[in-house]
Amino acid sequence: MGSLQLATFVVLLAAAFGSVSSRFIVEKSGIRVLSPEHIRSHHDAAIANFGVPDYGGTMTGVIAYPDKGTTGCEHFNNGPFKSRTRRPVILLLDRGDCYFALKAWNGQNAGAAAVLVADNIDEPLLTMDTPEESRDSDYVEKITIPSALVNRAFGETLKKALAKGNEEVVVKLDWRESMPHPDNRVEYEFWTNSNDECGPRCEEQMDFVKNFKGHAQLLEKGGFTQFTPHYITWFCPEAFILSKQCKSQCINNGRYCAPDPEQDFGEGYDGKDVVIENLRQLCVHRVANESGRPWVWWDFVTDYHVRCSMKEKKYSRDCGEKVVKSLGLPLDKISDCMGDPEADVENEVLKREQEVQVGRGTRGDVTFLPTLVINNVQYRAIETNQCLESNGGCWEDLRLNITACKDTFRGRICKCPTVNGVRYEGDGYTSCQGKNMSRFGWFLMILVLACVVGAGAAGYIFYKYRLRSYMDSEIMAIMSQYMPLDNQHNESQPLRPVSTA
């Protein structure tokens, strides 16, 4: 696959995930300064979410820094940038005043082969994102040159070398390690779940599928990509295979399980309902792929979400089969692929899912959703909230669960908060004192009294409930070691610091 198609895929993929606040780790390329000799060095650059990086390739060019309009927010009217040695021009611009994408667009129109944006503050590299959709951002899709953000210190080094004017500043942009490319197309996997009642995480996954559907289908039809959906499954501990808990969450005699959607074995849908629908969606992809139309999976998943949601109590086999028929897929082949979920036998499709779920080589285990694997390299969530470790060094009141730490994705700030109408004042690091404490004290006292009265009234109810739910909770605790429940993971956090300007 050519670098253009690969880059287009990655940009579209990043853009789609960006729209649902699920972001990847900052993707970096390398920059090597070749001359002048006294500043020869190697640096990292954060690849933008727009434009076309030369994945797998390199570019050697001459740095140019404009005399006027150094932010690149206006058209350059002095003709195209050129180098004395006829090498490609890599335009260096300053951050600020406008969108990153507009800087790249203006640089491209002025003849630049690539654009580097120098950060204006000292911070870790972040991804230059696309601006939100507006009438003025149509140019984004027309950007065909690569662009990247470099840190402030490196930008200053390049500017000082250019200011001397003794010789050209020559650099080599290197994308060879940015994304593996083992064959002539991008092979990627998306690990997801048909359960649509697991809160924001489920909503973000479905939003991604909806937003990326059109792009994915075009890339697949053009032969640029090979897409494979996957679904996480667990197994039931042998000691509990015959328990009602395993029977409600598993199929094929405890071999393939999913958590109960409501985490209540006596209410709503069961985990086995999710496993069966996951299996159906896997078979839809398999059968569609055999017929030369693998992209139909995207239509099925989006249609099923609209027509067969749990919320509307339509999450069922009958509804799924209606969607299958509406898309012109052979229902008998999909049924044969799914097999008998009640049989005490291995299911070929789900057994394969459990095998590839285990990490090997450069990829780790798939343990939470969503997870992407691109060309056998896994991209998954990392925690970026600096307030989670030692509270970021800020003041906190553990008793009231109040903190002065606020994560900004550029780092954290320590600022005394306002909670329930009570304004706290102090330095945010060692102390924060609440104002209007007398009023707040009365509120706490009333709240405590209300809790005591409520606890007495709820005691009897809790006692009866505990008798009924004791076995459920005990077995769920044991099973969670084998089959993690959705609420054991934090809700989806942004994975990559991004900015549009």
Side-chain angles (χ1 to χ4, degrees):
M1 176 180 185
S3 60
L4 177 59
Q5 287 83 10
L6 177 55
T8 302
F9 164 74
V10 175
V11 170
L12 290 174
L13 190 62
F17 258 75
S19 67
V20 297
S21 300
S22 288
R23 302 183 176 97
F24 295 108
I25 301 168
V26 175
E27 189 183 1
K28 297 178 183 178
S29 59
I31 302 179
R32 183 173 296 278
V33 180
L34 304 179
S35 66
E37 186 174 354
H38 72 279
I39 62 168
R40 282 186 179 178
S41 53
H42 183 272
H43 302 269
D44 286 333
I47 299 174
N49 264 358
F50 48 82
V52 184
D54 186 13
Y55 286 109
T58 63
M59 176 191 295
T60 299
V62 175
I63 295 291
Y65 183 64
D67 297 328
K68 297 180 180 179
T70 60
T71 60
C73 294
E74 302 292 339
H75 294 292
F76 295 101
N77 298 319
N78 297 328
F81 289 99
K82 296 181 179 179
S83 67
R84 297 194 298 267
T85 55
R86 296 189 177 182
R87 285 187 170 124
V89 170
I90 299 172
L91 185 61
L92 178 66
L93 297 173
D94 292 325
R95 182 179 181 179
D97 297 342
C98 65
Y99 292 128
F100 289 122
L102 181 59
K103 299 174 189 288
W105 175 239
N106 289 334
Q108 176 177 306
N109 290 334
V115 168
L116 298 180
V117 178
D119 207 343
N120 52 10
I121 60 174
D122 292 316
E123 63 176 343
L125 289 174
L126 52 83
T127 300
M128 300 190 298
D129 210 350
T130 54
E132 295 182 2
E133 292 183 7
S134 69
R135 290 177 298 176
D136 300 327
S137 61
D138 294 340
Y139 59 85
V140 175
E141 296 181 358
K142 301 176 184 177
I143 299 173
T144 59
I145 64 172
S147 57
L149 182 75
V150 298
N151 63 41
R152 189 184 67 84
F154 180 41
E156 292 300 317
T157 298
L158 294 175
K159 293 175 194 177
K160 290 178 181 178
L162 289 167
K164 292 182 179 180
N166 297 329
E167 58 180 305
E168 289 185 326
V169 177
V170 181
V171 301
K172 182 178 182 180
L173 308 184
D174 191 340
W175 296 273
R176 289 176 297 181
E177 300 300 325
S178 300
M179 178 68 67
H181 44 96
D183 55 24
N184 63 349
R185 62 183 172 181
V186 175
E187 299 174 3
Y188 71 108
E189 307 166 12
F190 178 51
W191 289 81
T192 183
N193 199 336
S194 64
N195 176 10
D196 59 8
E197 284 292 284
C198 62
R201 187 162 56 254
C202 284
E203 294 171 8
E204 288 190 352
Q205 290 177 62
M206 200 59 233
D207 284 344
F208 163 70
V209 172
K210 291 177 181 177
N211 292 331
F212 192 57
K213 169 186 167 183
H215 302 306
Q217 291 180 322
L218 287 174
L219 291 168
E220 198 82 0
K221 291 177 182 179
F224 303 129
T225 61
Q226 181 184 53
F227 167 71
T228 306
H230 286 296
Y231 297 78
I232 293 179
T233 62
W234 295 270
F235 63 91
C236 184
E238 186 174 355
F240 299 99
I241 286 178
L242 299 179
S243 69
K244 69 174 184 179
Q245 290 79 13
C246 274
K247 289 182 177 180
S248 70
Q249 297 190 95
C250 310
I251 66 173
N252 295 110
N253 199 33
R255 289 179 173 86
Y256 315 105
C257 313
D260 188 286
E262 300 85 10
Q263 296 181 33
D264 186 333
F265 299 127
E267 297 290 335
Y269 291 98
D270 294 325
K272 69 178 182 181
D273 297 323
V274 176
V275 181
I276 291 173
E277 183 51 41
N278 289 349
L279 176 58
R280 188 188 332 277
Q281 296 185 7
L282 286 166
C283 287
V284 163
H285 181 264
R286 174 175 288 197
V287 172
N289 189 45
E290 290 172 352
S291 66
R293 300 190 302 151
W295 50 84
V296 174
W297 177 89
W298 297 87
D299 292 316
F300 179 87
V301 171
T302 51
D303 288 2
Y304 188 88
H305 178 73
V306 173
R307 298 172 59 179
C308 312
S309 71
M310 288 183 174
K311 190 173 296 184
E312 296 181 2
K313 308 300 182 185
K314 295 180 179 180
Y315 186 92
S316 66
R317 169 184 172 179
D318 290 342
C319 190
E321 291 183 349
K322 288 178 182 178
V323 178
V324 168
K325 292 179 180 178
S326 70
L327 295 173
L329 294 169
L331 185 59
D332 57 339
K333 290 186 177 181
I334 291 175
S335 297
D336 290 343
C337 171
M338 293 179 65
D340 181 3
E342 300 299 328
D344 185 9
V345 296
E346 295 281 4
N347 181 287
E348 176 194 350
V349 177
L350 293 178
K351 182 180 180 181
R352 175 59 180 163
E353 291 300 288
Q354 289 183 339
E355 290 173 351
V356 296
Q357 186 175 329
V358 178
R360 291 180 177 86
T362 60
R363 56 188 282 178
D365 294 349
V366 178
T367 56
F368 55 91
L369 305 174
T371 291
L372 272 165
V373 179
I374 306 176
N375 287 342
N376 212 37
V377 175
Q378 184 170 311
Y379 295 81
R380 59 181 181 176
I382 59 170
E383 192 59 75
T384 60
N385 190 341
Q386 294 187 11
C387 294
L388 295 182
E389 184 175 349
S390 301
N391 198 49
C394 303
W395 172 88
E396 65 177 331
D397 189 321
L398 294 175
R399 182 173 57 89
L400 298 177
N401 194 27
I402 298 173
T403 177
C405 189
K406 180 179 180 181
D407 189 75
T408 66
F409 301 107
R410 289 178 178 270
R412 64 92 178 98
I413 59 173
C414 297
K415 183 179 180 180
C416 294
T418 298
V419 181
N420 295 327
V422 178
R423 181 167 53 87
Y424 287 76
E425 294 182 354
D427 61 11
Y429 294 92
T430 59
S431 66
C432 288
Q433 296 294 327
K435 298 298 180 180
N436 302 324
M437 285 301 293
S438 59
R439 191 179 305 172
F440 184 64
W442 279 105
F443 169 76
L444 281 180
M445 185 178 70
I446 294 173
L447 179 62
V448 170
L449 289 174
C451 289
V452 171
V453 173
Y460 178 73
I461 298 174
F462 173 75
Y463 173 74
K464 297 202 70 175
Y465 170 78
R466 187 172 183 275
L467 291 177
R468 181 178 68 84
S469 64
Y470 178 76
M471 282 303 297
D472 283 355
S473 62
E474 286 296 304
I475 293 176
M476 186 178 292
I478 296 173
M479 289 181 64
S480 68
Q481 301 174 37
Y482 300 86
M483 185 176 64
L485 301 177
D486 284 341
N487 69 354
Q488 288 179 306
H489 301 295
N490 292 331
E491 291 300 335
S492 179
Q493 297 283 346
L495 309 185
R496 173 180 58 187
V498 300
S499 177
T500 60

